[in-house]
Amino acid sequence: MAAQPKPLAFEHPSYLHDPGGIWSWITTVDHKRVAVLYGITALFMMAVGGMEAMLIRAQLMVPGNHLLSAAAYNEMFTMHGTTMIFLVLMPLELGFFANFFIPLQIGARDVAFPRLNALSYWVFLGGTIFLHLGLLRSIYGLPDAGWFGYANLTERMYTPGINVDCWDIGLLILGVSTLLSGLNFFVTIVNLRAPGMTFMRMPMFIWAMLVTTILILLAFPALTVGLIFLFADRFLDTHFYRVSAGATPILWQHLFWIFGHPEVYIMALPAFGMISEVIPPFSRKPLFGYPMMAYSLVLIAFLSYGVWGHHMFATGMGPIADATFSITSMLIAIPTGVKIFSWLATVWGGRLRFTTSMLFAVGFLVEFTIGGLSGIMHASPPVDLQQTDSYIIVAHFHYVLFGGVLMGILAAFYYWWPKITGRFLSEKLGKAQFWITAWAFNATFFPMHFVGVLGMPRRIYTYAPHMGWDFWNYFESVNAFILGFAFLLFFINIIWSAMDGEIASSDPWDARTLEWSIPSPPPAFNFAAVPMVTSRDAFWVRKYGTVGTHGVAPAIAGGAAAAPIGAHAEVEEHIHMPAPSLYPLIFALGVFLMGVGCLVWTRLIIMGGAVTVMSVIGMVFEYPSFGKFDPAMIAESTLGLDHRKVGMWAFLGSECVFFASLISTYMVYKDRNLGGFDAMILNIPLTSVSTFVLLTSSLTMVLALAAVQRDDRKWSVFWLASTVLFGCIFLGGQAFEFTDFVMQGLKIQTNLFGQTFYTLVGFHGIHVLIGVCWLIVLTIAVARGKIGKDRSLAVEIGGLYWHFVDIVWVIIFTLIYLMRTVKHA
């Protein structure tokens, strides 16, 4: 038996007290506790989404049914889709499992930005509540235009209530949460891996999450832009999606599916990673074809941006577009097939243990393969034209997201639950749940292929008898309730485990990765010493000495007596942990108030904005170490860069997609203007001067950073104040130009040129305003001696943002002012 290490002391900074009880959960920044908060919320919403599904199937059980009205049915299928995608699957994968296990699998003590992590949860909770706010006004107050929100169903003239308003603003809030999580996990994986953990030594779940975070950063801005356009149409009377004004509702479909198809893989890739962690321990074999598995993840992500058009074959894009998207949609099956064959090869010849987790993993392989094969059919435009908007699509979608993603999540629950709680889930209840789920799922959704072929369309709330659909709808509905019973067993299992579950050892499955080398549940500091990684499957190699062995060493059977993974590292006696904070909750409250203000009282927008700004400032100066360089952090990071700098670069990458979406809309709509004002109204001399001033501000920003780095407070304040002044001059020029346009009659509602111009230039102006406020805070902090040479990183990061804003303006100025004017000349 290995010698037991002495107890370790961990501490929060002395200037902040660690509270207990409920308050400790409200103010927590521990990634494990934040994960639990996500998990509880997502499981509750799973129950809500399941009840919505039961109501849908009860309504369709028999023809001519009036259990639900048409309006109530629209709300149920809209909220079922929205709930399961945005409030269940993604929060469980990103918020629960990724939050809990990314630091544990890479040998880190927490995520890169603990307070940002807590903030993402509270914003997520606010968005979840916001989606359901319409219930306060009426029992029929839920969103009702479909989870896909197709224009022009979502225009005010077709849905005049607050239903779609809540959906639009709620998704914008949820998008903020998801982007924060994606940025945080990206920086954590890239910069916080344990020494020796190269990319090709990372667990496959970490590979999956790394690729997923990149997808999040590059896909969600397109949805954000689409939702902003919808917000403008509903609240500002613009017409981004109105045909009568020269616009097209197809713009929404492009923006939505540019996000939507990567979103499928944002949900699927974490499940791929989970399955890749579950199958090897229960096959007692290493994952087959590890390098190709990693490369296929990257290839899937790359191709996912070129297949969105296969959702739009019926819109008449033309033969060239149809052929292009058809080819890319077929190509993406290749890396997916590589993964399926790798999982099968891992199982083949292994010493299999059919635990509940392994059963769900095998179920994932079967069901996801069926869903993938039916998806390949839709890569053919002629076939897709026959099947689109029929129940075949409903069947395919559920085989991918339920049979694939949710089966993977259930496998992960039974696999990692002992590590999370220190207790097992019941294997008897688990296996009963699996077999009931396997039958009921297939009996519910496979017949939908039949009714789809027989012509049953999606989204109808009732149907006439004797159309050939009666038996299969009754059969599907009965089995849907059986499926609901299977998930009732799952919830019972969770409650039983929490109350009386069998105690789990630190490594009950004889697993391969680092999280199993520490106690169950993990201590607050995760690792007593930062582990040293020398090979792939680090914990397995530590136990057995080789990656591929099948034998079980008697002295350490089950891994119970294996030496800790960090046994050869110097154990730290005092471990410094991040302190709790209330500011994340205050920030989320401010965002929520701004959303409510859009619905009921515009003054709440100002109040919520003030709360948000003050919480950000408070969060920045909450720690005395604000803005300091941390040589130890940089020395341990994979890139040799501070986390905050890597995070800013990742954020700016996401912002590039945001502005690219706005610019693309302008480029498409600039020639669809039906008359009236166009680019000839632009004030080139004024804007040229403003552009020169803004570019000059980049020079003063560079000089300000240089002054701070040499600890020259006088010139630091001077150059920062100069940058602020130049930014204000630029904003003043924009304000004058906008006012002049309004006086001449060009408003945001006037025509397509006006709305695309004001939106693109206006959002850049908002970014400049944020930068000005940021620099004002920095100037005051430097003037008061809060920022000096040792904290120059704060100014450097602010400078990165400011230079990005300037570069974006150069592109906008060229495309809108110079190129448009040259064309008219």
Side-chain angles (χ1 to χ4, degrees), residues 745-775:
L746 177 62
K747 301 179 181 179
I748 193 171
Q749 303 89 355
T750 302
N751 58 16
L752 288 179
F753 171 75
Q755 65 189 36
T756 52
F757 170 80
Y758 280 118
T759 305
L760 176 54
V761 177
F763 267 103
H764 177 267
I766 291 172
H767 280 70
V768 175
L769 178 61
I770 292 171
V772 166
C773 295
W774 189 345
L775 294 180

Side-chain angles (χ1 to χ4, degrees), residues 284 510-512 537-549:
R284 287 198 66 78
D510 194 15
R512 313 180 75 88
D537 288 341
F539 186 43
W540 181 272
V541 172
R542 177 63 186 156
K543 290 186 291 185
Y544 298 126
T546 178
V547 172
T549 184

Side-chain angles (χ1 to χ4, degrees), residues 544-568:
Y544 298 126
T546 178
V547 172
T549 184
H550 287 254
V552 181
I556 52 176
I565 195 68
H568 297 299

Side-chain angles (χ1 to χ4, degrees), residues 542-750:
R542 177 63 186 156
K543 290 186 291 185
Y544 298 126
T546 178
V547 172
T549 184
H550 287 254
V552 181
I556 52 176
I565 195 68
H568 297 299
E570 183 179 350
V571 176
E572 304 170 36
E573 294 185 4
H574 294 278
I575 299 172
H576 184 88
M577 297 297 295
S581 176
L582 186 61
Y583 285 112
L585 176 59
I586 298 174
F587 180 97
L589 178 62
V591 172
F592 186 81
L593 286 176
M594 285 193 288
V596 173
C598 294
L599 299 179
V600 296
W601 192 33
T602 53
R603 292 183 182 179
L604 274 179
I605 301 175
I606 300 174
M607 295 170 58
V611 170
T612 302
V613 170
M614 295 306 297
S615 68
V616 170
I617 296 174
M619 209 181 315
V620 166
F621 291 99
E622 185 177 16
Y623 292 169
S625 60
F626 160 70
K628 282 189 176 181
F629 282 102
D630 188 344
M633 175 196 299
I634 296 174
E636 293 176 0
S637 72
T638 305
L639 297 181
L641 294 174
D642 190 282
H643 306 332
R644 291 158 287 186
K645 191 180 293 186
V646 178
M648 176 53 68
W649 281 111
F651 170 73
L652 296 181
S654 183
E655 285 288 277
C656 287
V657 180
F658 176 81
F659 278 106
S661 300
L662 289 174
I663 292 171
S664 298
T665 302
Y666 170 79
M667 298 300 289
V668 170
Y669 274 178
K670 66 184 177 67
D671 293 323
R672 299 176 66 102
N673 204 35
L674 295 185
F677 297 96
D678 59 18
M680 291 302 293
I681 197 176
L682 299 176
N683 191 332
I684 299 297
L686 172 64
T687 312
S688 298
V689 172
S690 297
T691 301
F692 176 78
V693 169
L694 188 63
L695 293 180
T696 304
S697 71
S698 274
L699 174 61
T700 58
M701 190 69 230
V702 171
L703 295 172
L705 176 60
V708 172
Q709 289 176 338
R710 65 175 182 266
D711 220 4
D712 188 337
R713 185 188 301 184
K714 175 183 175 182
W715 284 104
S716 298
V717 172
F718 176 80
W719 292 120
L720 281 172
S722 299
T723 307
V724 170
L725 176 62
F726 288 148
C728 291
I729 292 173
F730 175 83
L731 290 174
Q734 276 199 342
F736 177 83
E737 185 179 38
F738 281 17
T739 303
D740 183 52
F741 289 169
V742 171
M743 294 293 291
Q744 294 184 56
L746 177 62
K747 301 179 181 179
I748 193 171
Q749 303 89 355
T750 302

Side-chain angles (χ1 to χ4, degrees), residues 10 166 201 218 283-284 319 328 334 343 473 475 493 588 607 627 726 787 811:
F10 73 97
C166 291
R201 289 176 180 172
L218 299 182
S283 302
R284 287 198 66 78
T328 55
I334 296 174
W343 291 320
N473 272 293
F475 183 79
N493 203 348
M607 295 170 58
F726 288 148
I787 296 178
I811 297 171

